Each structure stands twice: as C-alpha cells, then as structure tokens.
Amino acid sequence: MIAELDIAKRDLEKNGYLNIDVDPSLDLFEEIEKLKKEKNAILLAHYYQESEIQDIADYIGDSLGLSQMAAKTEADIIVFAGVHFMAETAKMLSPHKKVLLPDLKAGCSLADSCPAPLFRKFKEKHPDHIVVSYVNTTAEMKTLTDICCTSTNAVHIIESIPKGQPIIFAPDINLGKYLVKKTGRDMVLWNGACMVHEIFSNEKITKLMLRYPNAKFIAHPECEAHILEKADFVGSTTGLLNYTINDEATEFIVATEAGILHQMEKRSPHKTFIPAPPDNACACNDCPHMKLNTMEKLYLCMKHETPEIVLPEWVIKKGVKSIDRMLEISAKAGL
Ligand code: 13P
Ligand code: SF4
C-alpha cells in the first residue's frame, strides 16, 4: 500500500487525483463519515455533483452559498466537491485551512475562457472601468477583479455600483447580456461561455414544451438569450430549486446542469422534472468537470489529505478583496 501510495502521489500532477484501487467491499458512506469526524473536516458540495456525493455532503449549495460556508466554517479541513475555481475561492477565504479537491482536473470551461494574461491586456484598454467578474474565474483573475459576483447576487452587485461608473463584466457573455437587459447598464462584456449552458437545443425544448403544455420552463442565466427568452423563470441553481418548491406547477423543464434535479426531486417528490436536452445525442446535460469527482476519489483525498489547493500568498491577499466585497454586498442585500 505504501509503495502504491508513493506512486500515486508522484503521479498526482499527471492524473489530477490519487489513482489507487479502492476495496469494492468498503462502505464509502460510512468511511467518509468516519474521516469527517476524525479530521474535523467539512464536506461542501455543489448541486451539480453526482447524487451520492450530494447525499453525503455537510452542505450543498450554489456558488454563493458555498463561498459563504467556506468563509465561516470552523472545521480544520474543507473538502470541496466541486470544481477548481470553487476550491480556490474557499482557500482564499480560509487561507489557514487545508482545502482539498478530489480531482485537480475538475476545471471549468467558463474560467478557462478568460485567461488572466489576456484579460489584463483587455482591462488596460478600459482604464476607467471597474471589473465585475463572475466567481467562475481563476484565482489570478480575481486579482484583476474589483468585485466578484455569482448568478444569485449579480443584479445586486451591478446595482450597487454608481450609475455613471463604467463596468467591464467577465467572463460569461450570456450572463453579461442578461444583466445588461435586467439592470439597464451598458457594460463592456468579455466573450466567454459555459460549455454546459450554451448547448441547449431550442428546437428540442420547443418540442418538450408542446409535449408538456402545463410544464414551467426554467433556466440558468448562463444559457443563451434565445433560451432565456422562452423561460417562465430565470435564476441561479438555488433560485431554480426554490422556484420548483414554491411554484404550484407540478411539471418543470429545467435548463441547467442535470445534477440539480436530484435536489429538486428530493424536495418535491410528487413533481416531475425534465432535463432540457442539449444539441447532441444526449438526453440531459452533465458538466464533464463537475462529474470528474467520484465517491472513490473523495474517500482517497480525505484519507490521504491530498490533492490540496495551494496558492501564492500575493494571489490570496490581492484576490480575496474582490470576494470579500461580494460577500459584504450580498450580506447587506440579505442574500
Ligand atoms: P451557481 O451555482 O452559482 O448557480 O452557478 C452555476 C455554475 O455553473 C457553477 O459552475
Ligand atoms: Fe464551469 Fe459550466 Fe461546469 Fe459550471 S457547469 S463548472 S460554469 S463548465
């Protein structure tokens, strides 16, 4: 086992995770629970994680809820079942804690669509603008950002900025266009997008709406404008979940990553949830990055306390200011 562990640790960078066989007879729920207690670790999971991971998490939430939890937890170790930028955000908010991510290759197409060196040049062309970045960015991008936002608080963040102040919004062009429409602010937009939310098929959604005439169509603001125009409700993952709980409809067509359907079904077992189909052969839309995390990788990373998120001190010090500002504005708005 020691030799196997040494090899796995050596190959961590190549694989992104500890590549060690896990005894299939182990009850991973029980083992993970034990490790949480032994190590005073908290397990935070995003709604797009596979169902089993959601079921064992101490807290399940959207990007805002997860960062609020990472800022206030008293645990010694934060285990982040989500993607890389989320774990980095947790590390920036709790720099003295150990932050673990089961698979370091769990990235984000949206964060990748905005490399910090390119953005720096773009920002130089707009010296009077302040930068609002969606939290789906690298830690380095956060050092170039004045205020972060998530889909839950984006409208409040934009509206908190004085009217005459020009704004750059990065990196999601779809959320950016939605915010321009919603707030009436004319922002300079970076041209990035999420691979999961930009491939919903208008045609297949129209057909589903005809097949389920009583269903409400709900969508995440990372979707393209022509999809959002059809929606009865647009909101963050938490916003969508709450809408399905509180609305009287019993059928919903859901245009976001399919992982959220697990919580929707748990919270409203008598209602029907239909994932909106993408423009390919699949019936629902999974984020390949989010789904890199598995129960086995989660167990191994908690047992051996690796892979760990490590960031340069200057990045933490400079970048965290944009996250702190977001959390302050959100708290004032009661979010
Ligand atoms: P929220 O969880 O903030 O709605 O963001 C969705 C998303 O795409 C996360 O990667
Ligand atoms: Fe990134 Fe989109 Fe996956 Fe969220 S769903 S992690 S924005 S690629």
Side-chain angles (χ1 to χ4, degrees):
M1 181 64 185
I2 295 297
E4 199 185 357
L5 179 60
D6 285 344
I7 295 167
K9 281 190 174 162
R10 195 194 62 205
D11 288 348
L12 198 56
E13 214 167 301
K14 186 176 83 196
N15 295 319
Y17 62 97
L18 282 179
N19 191 7
I20 301 175
D21 287 337
V22 175
D23 176 355
S25 67
L26 274 185
D27 180 340
L28 292 182
F29 269 84
E30 210 174 280
E31 295 300 320
I32 291 171
E33 284 298 352
K34 259 199 257 165
L35 288 168
K36 279 200 251 175
K37 286 194 190 88
E38 253 170 59
K39 295 174 187 258
N40 189 26
I42 187 169
L43 174 55
L44 308 182
H46 189 270
Y47 287 125
Y48 296 166
Q49 291 295 288
E50 63 172 58
S51 318
E52 278 183 305
I53 296 181
Q54 293 189 37
D55 289 344
I56 194 147
D58 297 301
Y59 176 81
I60 318 160
D62 65 2
S63 310
L64 177 63
L66 289 165
S67 49
Q68 286 166 330
M69 195 50 86
K72 73 176 185 201
T73 180
E74 283 176 5
D76 295 316
I77 299 181
I78 299 174
V79 187
F80 218 109
V83 291
H84 201 271
F85 77 82
M86 295 178 172
E88 280 185 336
T89 304
K91 181 70 187 174
M92 292 161 98
L93 286 164
S94 288
H96 304 300
K97 295 188 193 298
K98 191 174 257 189
V99 177
L100 303 174
L101 181 67
D103 189 328
L104 288 177
K105 291 201 172 157
C108 169
S109 65
L110 187 48
D112 290 348
S113 69
C114 191
L118 283 186
F119 185 77
R120 186 177 283 109
K121 292 203 176 106
F122 180 77
K123 187 180 162 174
E124 278 163 15
K125 290 191 194 136
H126 305 280
D128 303 334
H129 290 56
I130 78 161
V131 177
V132 178
S133 292
Y134 197 30
V135 75
N136 303 40
T137 51
T138 60
E140 202 185 337
M141 255 301 285
K142 290 183 175 76
T143 67
L144 302 170
T145 296
D146 295 292
I147 319 176
C148 278
C149 74
T150 73
S151 44
T152 296
N153 58 25
V155 170
H156 290 86
I157 302 281
I158 301 298
E159 285 177 345
S160 75
I161 299 168
K163 283 246 158 54
Q165 170 63 57
I167 304 170
I168 297 175
F169 185 81
D172 190 347
I173 194 156
N174 295 320
L175 178 62
K177 284 182 184 164
Y178 172 75
L179 291 170
V180 167
K181 209 168 155 193
K182 199 89 185 154
T183 63
R185 299 292 286 266
D186 182 20
M187 304 188 287
V188 174
L189 305 179
W190 180 266
N191 189 9
C194 157
M195 64 189 287
V196 174
H197 288 91
E198 70 171 354
I199 61 160
F200 286 112
S201 161
N202 214 337
E203 202 185 319
K204 288 184 194 169
I205 291 170
T206 307
K207 281 189 186 151
L208 269 180
M209 289 168 89
L210 290 170
R211 213 163 116 207
Y212 297 92
N214 297 322
K216 291 272 177 74
F217 174 55
I218 60 176
H220 194 281
E222 287 172 27
C223 296
E224 290 174 302
H226 63 99
I227 301 289
L228 297 180
E229 273 158 23
K230 301 164 91 82
D232 295 298
F233 178 74
V234 175
S236 65
T237 40
T238 302
L240 297 177
L241 175 62
N242 289 339
Y243 184 82
T244 61
I245 295 167
N246 299 323
D247 194 76
E248 75 282 355
T250 55
E251 292 172 334
F252 298 88
I253 300 167
V254 185
T256 189
E257 212 270 0
I260 186 70
L261 268 68
H262 180 58
Q263 289 305 317
M264 290 176 171
E265 281 160 356
K266 270 179 103 167
R267 299 296 295 273
S268 306
H270 56 292
K271 298 188 179 182
T272 305
F273 301 97
I274 307 134
D279 217 354
N280 56 33
C282 301
C284 69
N285 214 356
D286 276 329
C287 171
H289 305 288
M290 287 277 184
K291 297 301 195 285
L292 279 180
N293 294 323
T294 61
M295 287 290 277
E296 285 75 14
K297 290 179 189 172
L298 182 55
Y299 162 70
L300 287 171
C301 110
M302 290 180 73
K303 185 170 177 197
H304 301 290
E305 299 186 20
T306 193
E308 185 184 350
I309 299 293
V310 182
L311 289 170
E313 215 176 300
W314 77 268
V315 171
I316 296 183
K317 277 206 173 123
K318 195 159 182 222
V320 77
K321 290 182 190 153
S322 60
I323 311 171
D324 283 341
R325 284 197 74 187
M326 167 182 89
L327 294 178
E328 277 160 31
I329 298 167
S330 299
K332 268 195 204 142
L335 297 171

PDB file of all heavy atoms in Angstrom, residues 303-319:
ATOM      1  N   LYS A 303      -8.777  10.575   3.001  1.00  0.00           N
ATOM      2  CA  LYS A 303      -7.922   9.671   3.771  1.00  0.00           C
ATOM      3  C   LYS A 303      -6.464  10.160   3.760  1.00  0.00           C
ATOM      4  O   LYS A 303      -5.815  10.194   4.791  1.00  0.00           O
ATOM      5  CB  LYS A 303      -8.028   8.270   3.161  1.00  0.00           C
ATOM      6  CG  LYS A 303      -7.286   7.242   3.930  1.00  0.00           C
ATOM      7  CD  LYS A 303      -7.607   5.839   3.461  1.00  0.00           C
ATOM      8  CE  LYS A 303      -6.747   4.875   4.269  1.00  0.00           C
ATOM      9  NZ  LYS A 303      -6.645   3.581   3.710  1.00  0.00           N
ATOM     10  N   HIS A 304      -5.984  10.559   2.577  1.00  0.00           N
ATOM     11  CA  HIS A 304      -4.564  10.913   2.449  1.00  0.00           C
ATOM     12  C   HIS A 304      -4.323  12.432   2.429  1.00  0.00           C
ATOM     13  O   HIS A 304      -3.196  12.878   2.240  1.00  0.00           O
ATOM     14  CB  HIS A 304      -3.983  10.269   1.184  1.00  0.00           C
ATOM     15  CG  HIS A 304      -4.104   8.773   1.192  1.00  0.00           C
ATOM     16  ND1 HIS A 304      -3.372   7.989   2.036  1.00  0.00           N
ATOM     17  CD2 HIS A 304      -4.902   7.931   0.486  1.00  0.00           C
ATOM     18  CE1 HIS A 304      -3.704   6.708   1.842  1.00  0.00           C
ATOM     19  NE2 HIS A 304      -4.643   6.650   0.906  1.00  0.00           N
ATOM     20  N   GLU A 305      -5.406  13.199   2.578  1.00  0.00           N
ATOM     21  CA  GLU A 305      -5.334  14.680   2.617  1.00  0.00           C
ATOM     22  C   GLU A 305      -4.581  15.262   1.424  1.00  0.00           C
ATOM     23  O   GLU A 305      -3.756  16.167   1.556  1.00  0.00           O
ATOM     24  CB  GLU A 305      -4.739  15.144   3.955  1.00  0.00           C
ATOM     25  CG  GLU A 305      -5.599  14.690   5.124  1.00  0.00           C
ATOM     26  CD  GLU A 305      -5.152  15.248   6.473  1.00  0.00           C
ATOM     27  OE1 GLU A 305      -4.432  16.255   6.487  1.00  0.00           O
ATOM     28  OE2 GLU A 305      -5.550  14.661   7.494  1.00  0.00           O
ATOM     29  N   THR A 306      -4.876  14.747   0.275  1.00  0.00           N
ATOM     30  CA  THR A 306      -4.327  15.269  -0.968  1.00  0.00           C
ATOM     31  C   THR A 306      -5.226  14.806  -2.122  1.00  0.00           C
ATOM     32  O   THR A 306      -5.847  13.742  -1.968  1.00  0.00           O
ATOM     33  CB  THR A 306      -2.864  14.780  -1.152  1.00  0.00           C
ATOM     34  OG1 THR A 306      -2.249  15.513  -2.172  1.00  0.00           O
ATOM     35  CG2 THR A 306      -2.765  13.297  -1.484  1.00  0.00           C
ATOM     36  N   PRO A 307      -5.353  15.526  -3.240  1.00  0.00           N
ATOM     37  CA  PRO A 307      -4.724  16.781  -3.612  1.00  0.00           C
ATOM     38  C   PRO A 307      -5.245  17.980  -2.816  1.00  0.00           C
ATOM     39  O   PRO A 307      -6.431  18.076  -2.505  1.00  0.00           O
ATOM     40  CB  PRO A 307      -5.093  16.950  -5.081  1.00  0.00           C
ATOM     41  CG  PRO A 307      -5.978  15.824  -5.458  1.00  0.00           C
ATOM     42  CD  PRO A 307      -6.210  14.977  -4.293  1.00  0.00           C
ATOM     43  N   GLU A 308      -4.299  18.863  -2.557  1.00  0.00           N
ATOM     44  CA  GLU A 308      -4.607  20.058  -1.777  1.00  0.00           C
ATOM     45  C   GLU A 308      -4.481  21.299  -2.667  1.00  0.00           C
ATOM     46  O   GLU A 308      -3.632  21.341  -3.573  1.00  0.00           O
ATOM     47  CB  GLU A 308      -3.593  20.146  -0.616  1.00  0.00           C
ATOM     48  CG  GLU A 308      -3.878  21.275   0.318  1.00  0.00           C
ATOM     49  CD  GLU A 308      -2.831  21.433   1.424  1.00  0.00           C
ATOM     50  OE1 GLU A 308      -1.973  20.551   1.591  1.00  0.00           O
ATOM     51  OE2 GLU A 308      -2.873  22.474   2.095  1.00  0.00           O
ATOM     52  N   ILE A 309      -5.284  22.313  -2.395  1.00  0.00           N
ATOM     53  CA  ILE A 309      -5.193  23.584  -3.136  1.00  0.00           C
ATOM     54  C   ILE A 309      -4.122  24.457  -2.473  1.00  0.00           C
ATOM     55  O   ILE A 309      -4.205  24.736  -1.276  1.00  0.00           O
ATOM     56  CB  ILE A 309      -6.548  24.339  -3.129  1.00  0.00           C
ATOM     57  CG1 ILE A 309      -7.650  23.506  -3.813  1.00  0.00           C
ATOM     58  CG2 ILE A 309      -6.433  25.723  -3.775  1.00  0.00           C
ATOM     59  CD1 ILE A 309      -7.492  23.288  -5.297  1.00  0.00           C
ATOM     60  N   VAL A 310      -3.135  24.855  -3.274  1.00  0.00           N
ATOM     61  CA  VAL A 310      -2.068  25.725  -2.761  1.00  0.00           C
ATOM     62  C   VAL A 310      -2.013  26.957  -3.681  1.00  0.00           C
ATOM     63  O   VAL A 310      -2.007  26.817  -4.907  1.00  0.00           O
ATOM     64  CB  VAL A 310      -0.702  24.990  -2.785  1.00  0.00           C
ATOM     65  CG1 VAL A 310       0.389  25.878  -2.215  1.00  0.00           C
ATOM     66  CG2 VAL A 310      -0.775  23.684  -2.006  1.00  0.00           C
ATOM     67  N   LEU A 311      -2.000  28.130  -3.070  1.00  0.00           N
ATOM     68  CA  LEU A 311      -1.968  29.368  -3.861  1.00  0.00           C
ATOM     69  C   LEU A 311      -0.860  30.286  -3.346  1.00  0.00           C
ATOM     70  O   LEU A 311      -0.613  30.327  -2.131  1.00  0.00           O
ATOM     71  CB  LEU A 311      -3.306  30.113  -3.732  1.00  0.00           C
ATOM     72  CG  LEU A 311      -4.518  29.491  -4.425  1.00  0.00           C
ATOM     73  CD1 LEU A 311      -5.786  30.209  -3.997  1.00  0.00           C
ATOM     74  CD2 LEU A 311      -4.370  29.551  -5.941  1.00  0.00           C
ATOM     75  N   PRO A 312      -0.231  31.070  -4.232  1.00  0.00           N
ATOM     76  CA  PRO A 312       0.762  32.038  -3.760  1.00  0.00           C
ATOM     77  C   PRO A 312       0.096  33.060  -2.826  1.00  0.00           C
ATOM     78  O   PRO A 312      -1.068  33.435  -3.026  1.00  0.00           O
ATOM     79  CB  PRO A 312       1.249  32.726  -5.041  1.00  0.00           C
ATOM     80  CG  PRO A 312       0.755  31.894  -6.166  1.00  0.00           C
ATOM     81  CD  PRO A 312      -0.413  31.102  -5.689  1.00  0.00           C
ATOM     82  N   GLU A 313       0.867  33.505  -1.820  1.00  0.00           N
ATOM     83  CA  GLU A 313       0.307  34.414  -0.820  1.00  0.00           C
ATOM     84  C   GLU A 313      -0.215  35.709  -1.443  1.00  0.00           C
ATOM     85  O   GLU A 313      -1.266  36.224  -1.050  1.00  0.00           O
ATOM     86  CB  GLU A 313       1.385  34.714   0.214  1.00  0.00           C
ATOM     87  CG  GLU A 313       0.788  34.861   1.596  1.00  0.00           C
ATOM     88  CD  GLU A 313       1.869  35.066   2.627  1.00  0.00           C
ATOM     89  OE1 GLU A 313       2.729  34.166   2.756  1.00  0.00           O
ATOM     90  OE2 GLU A 313       1.862  36.147   3.265  1.00  0.00           O
ATOM     91  N   TRP A 314       0.528  36.241  -2.447  1.00  0.00           N
ATOM     92  CA  TRP A 314       0.102  37.522  -3.031  1.00  0.00           C
ATOM     93  C   TRP A 314      -1.243  37.367  -3.741  1.00  0.00           C
ATOM     94  O   TRP A 314      -2.072  38.281  -3.723  1.00  0.00           O
ATOM     95  CB  TRP A 314       1.174  38.090  -3.973  1.00  0.00           C
ATOM     96  CG  TRP A 314       1.234  37.409  -5.330  1.00  0.00           C
ATOM     97  CD1 TRP A 314       2.022  36.355  -5.677  1.00  0.00           C
ATOM     98  CD2 TRP A 314       0.461  37.734  -6.506  1.00  0.00           C
ATOM     99  NE1 TRP A 314       1.793  35.990  -6.979  1.00  0.00           N
ATOM    100  CE2 TRP A 314       0.843  36.832  -7.520  1.00  0.00           C
ATOM    101  CE3 TRP A 314      -0.511  38.695  -6.810  1.00  0.00           C
ATOM    102  CZ2 TRP A 314       0.295  36.853  -8.798  1.00  0.00           C
ATOM    103  CZ3 TRP A 314      -1.059  38.719  -8.094  1.00  0.00           C
ATOM    104  CH2 TRP A 314      -0.653  37.806  -9.071  1.00  0.00           C
ATOM    105  N   VAL A 315      -1.469  36.190  -4.326  1.00  0.00           N
ATOM    106  CA  VAL A 315      -2.744  35.946  -5.031  1.00  0.00           C
ATOM    107  C   VAL A 315      -3.885  35.925  -4.009  1.00  0.00           C
ATOM    108  O   VAL A 315      -4.933  36.551  -4.221  1.00  0.00           O
ATOM    109  CB  VAL A 315      -2.690  34.610  -5.835  1.00  0.00           C
ATOM    110  CG1 VAL A 315      -4.067  34.244  -6.370  1.00  0.00           C
ATOM    111  CG2 VAL A 315      -1.689  34.714  -6.983  1.00  0.00           C
ATOM    112  N   ILE A 316      -3.653  35.255  -2.897  1.00  0.00           N
ATOM    113  CA  ILE A 316      -4.697  35.197  -1.861  1.00  0.00           C
ATOM    114  C   ILE A 316      -4.992  36.614  -1.348  1.00  0.00           C
ATOM    115  O   ILE A 316      -6.154  37.052  -1.332  1.00  0.00           O
ATOM    116  CB  ILE A 316      -4.257  34.283  -0.688  1.00  0.00           C
ATOM    117  CG1 ILE A 316      -4.101  32.840  -1.188  1.00  0.00           C
ATOM    118  CG2 ILE A 316      -5.248  34.381   0.474  1.00  0.00           C
ATOM    119  CD1 ILE A 316      -3.746  31.823  -0.129  1.00  0.00           C
ATOM    120  N   LYS A 317      -3.938  37.346  -0.995  1.00  0.00           N
ATOM    121  CA  LYS A 317      -4.112  38.682  -0.393  1.00  0.00           C
ATOM    122  C   LYS A 317      -4.830  39.643  -1.329  1.00  0.00           C
ATOM    123  O   LYS A 317      -5.725  40.379  -0.952  1.00  0.00           O
ATOM    124  CB  LYS A 317      -2.747  39.263  -0.016  1.00  0.00           C
ATOM    125  CG  LYS A 317      -2.267  38.762   1.316  1.00  0.00           C
ATOM    126  CD  LYS A 317      -1.304  39.771   1.946  1.00  0.00           C
ATOM    127  CE  LYS A 317      -0.944  39.351   3.352  1.00  0.00           C
ATOM    128  NZ  LYS A 317       0.480  39.197   3.547  1.00  0.00           N
ATOM    129  N   LYS A 318      -4.412  39.629  -2.606  1.00  0.00           N
ATOM    130  CA  LYS A 318      -4.980  40.587  -3.556  1.00  0.00           C
ATOM    131  C   LYS A 318      -6.367  40.129  -4.043  1.00  0.00           C
ATOM    132  O   LYS A 318      -7.298  40.921  -4.133  1.00  0.00           O
ATOM    133  CB  LYS A 318      -4.007  40.738  -4.746  1.00  0.00           C
ATOM    134  CG  LYS A 318      -4.285  41.928  -5.596  1.00  0.00           C
ATOM    135  CD  LYS A 318      -3.110  42.367  -6.430  1.00  0.00           C
ATOM    136  CE  LYS A 318      -3.524  43.612  -7.195  1.00  0.00           C
ATOM    137  NZ  LYS A 318      -3.057  43.596  -8.554  1.00  0.00           N
ATOM    138  N   GLY A 319      -6.452  38.829  -4.350  1.00  0.00           N
ATOM    139  CA  GLY A 319      -7.684  38.314  -4.955  1.00  0.00           C
ATOM    140  C   GLY A 319      -8.857  38.263  -3.991  1.00  0.00           C
ATOM    141  O   GLY A 319     -10.007  38.435  -4.400  1.00  0.00           O
TER     142      GLY A 319
END
